[in-house]
Amino acid sequence: QVQLVESGGGSVQAGGSLRLSCAVIGYPYSTYCMAWFRQTPGKEREGVAAILIFNGTTLYPDSVKGRFTISQDDAKNTVYLQMNSLKPDDTAIYYCAAAIPRFCSVTRHQGFGYWGQGTQVSVSS
């Protein structure tokens, strides 16, 4: 049973930073694509970062490129999302997700079979 355990959400002012963590429990995460998605009420789930664990290849949408960084700690089976220069539009529930590499994407969430519980990020102006 694969579990994704997230932590690190919170409230910050615009321009601030937060770091989210996602620990993968129950399966060697080296075979996965790990990603972060976010969602606000009434909107589609949006990918903000993805990483292929076996080679470190990363993907970002233009909306966060240069502000968000996804990284991995293989010793801890954990991925991180460092979010800098946060904007009010970044306010959302952020979810960690895992998929087999061929479904690795920041434009489609349907291929991700495992999801964390979500963590709230709130950015005030």
Side-chain angles (χ1 to χ4, degrees):
Q1 179 80 10
V2 178
Q3 285 184 280
L4 306 182
V5 181
E6 300 153 359
S7 60
S11 299
V12 293
Q13 290 190 321
S17 298
L18 282 173
R19 189 177 80 156
L20 307 182
S21 300
C22 174
V24 181
I25 299 170
Y27 198 84
Y29 87 148
S30 60
T31 60
Y32 284 133
C33 165
M34 299 298 301
W36 290 94
F37 289 80
R38 65 187 181 188
Q39 191 166 24
T40 54
K43 289 189 176 181
E44 281 286 315
R45 198 163 286 195
E46 175 191 17
V48 295
I51 186 166
L52 283 168
I53 297 299
F54 79 95
N55 68 3
T57 298
T58 56
L59 301 170
Y60 301 96
D62 288 343
S63 58
V64 307
K65 204 171 287 185
R67 300 189 299 123
F68 290 12
T69 302
I70 189 169
S71 62
Q72 62 193 82
D73 184 335
D74 295 343
K76 296 181 179 180
N77 266 25
T78 297
V79 293
Y80 302 96
L81 182 68
Q82 178 67 43
M83 303 183 292
N84 299 327
S85 302
L86 282 161
K87 306 174 182 179
D89 283 350
D90 295 318
T91 295
I93 298 175
Y94 283 69
Y95 298 91
C96 176
I100 59 175
R102 70 186 179 102
F103 291 129
C104 200
S105 174
V106 291
T107 57
R108 288 179 56 84
H109 67 271
Q110 288 84 353
F112 287 81
Y114 299 102
W115 292 85
Q117 77 280 8
T119 185
Q120 178 71 47
V121 171
S122 298
V123 184
S124 59
S125 57

